[in-house]
Amino acid sequence: SMSSFVFVRSCVLPLGLYYKVEEHVWLRPEADGSVTLGFSDVAQTTAGRILVVSFRPVGARYKQGKTIAIVESAKWLGPLRAPMDGTLVAVNDSLLEDAGLVNRSPYRKGWVVRFRPDALDLKDFVTGADAAQAYEGYMERRNLDDCIHCEGYEFPDD
């Protein structure tokens, strides 16, 4: 298969995911109508070592924009917000034991939550080449450093 990700300033960007660039969030639609959400490579670099991940209650309904999880590093507090109105259906419990999975495997083992939107609406998200272009512009405007990958970093599968 063609390579499933590109590099933007050393940051890994899987082309099949949907991104909200300003919030450093990725979204993957699942077959059952839910979506998986996580933080991008840019987020884990900007944050530095993630120390704590906390979650809001599973099974509860959240309005679009409401915080459903928070990642904390020594220098960063990153809210993960409900991408649409819907229900939080699962959280990645592994992160309670090892928050550093967000750094080491942002697109695989370090996913954050599963969320079931009332209706999937991706108009606020970018994907593919558009996402790569959006990230390039964002990093340039914000003068962000290139991504740094810690030991044991996992690249996404094809």
Side-chain angles (χ1 to χ4, degrees):
S1 65
M2 286 171 51
S3 175
S4 58
F5 61 91
V6 294
F7 287 105
V8 177
R9 300 189 175 210
S10 306
C11 303
V12 176
L13 215 62
L15 292 168
L17 300 177
Y18 292 81
Y19 299 90
K20 209 174 235 187
V21 173
E22 305 74 33
E23 291 183 21
H24 294 311
V25 168
W26 60 262
L27 176 155
R28 183 178 66 225
E30 304 295 351
D32 67 359
S34 69
V35 298
T36 299
L37 298 167
F39 283 100
S40 70
D41 203 7
V42 179
Q44 72 83 18
T45 289
T46 304
R49 196 161 73 88
I50 304 291
L51 304 172
V52 181
V53 180
S54 48
F55 303 107
R56 300 296 311 279
V58 172
R61 291 186 48 79
Y62 298 91
K63 286 276 188 210
Q64 180 176 4
K66 287 290 176 199
T67 299
I68 52 179
I70 296 175
V71 299
E72 300 177 50
S73 69
K75 59 179 180 176
W76 201 66
L77 194 66
L80 183 71
R81 300 178 190 284
M84 298 129 212
D85 294 355
T87 305
L88 184 59
V89 290
V91 301
N92 185 352
D93 287 328
S94 305
L95 302 181
L96 298 173
E97 303 292 315
D98 183 3
L101 283 169
V102 175
N103 296 109
R104 294 196 309 280
S105 188
Y107 302 111
R108 290 174 62 192
K109 295 190 189 109
W111 65 275
V112 181
V113 301
R114 300 251 322 278
F115 187 82
R116 186 179 305 281
D118 296 346
L120 185 63
D121 177 5
L122 296 170
K123 72 175 182 330
D124 296 336
F125 290 79
V126 288
T127 191
D130 291 342
Q133 198 172 4
Y135 259 114
E136 179 63 61
Y138 178 85
M139 293 184 77
E140 196 168 323
R141 284 194 308 279
R142 295 292 172 94
N143 221 354
L144 294 181
D145 293 333
D146 290 4
C147 281
I148 298 165
H149 297 130
C150 58
E151 196 170 333
Y153 184 88
E154 283 193 331
F155 289 90
D157 285 331
D158 261 8

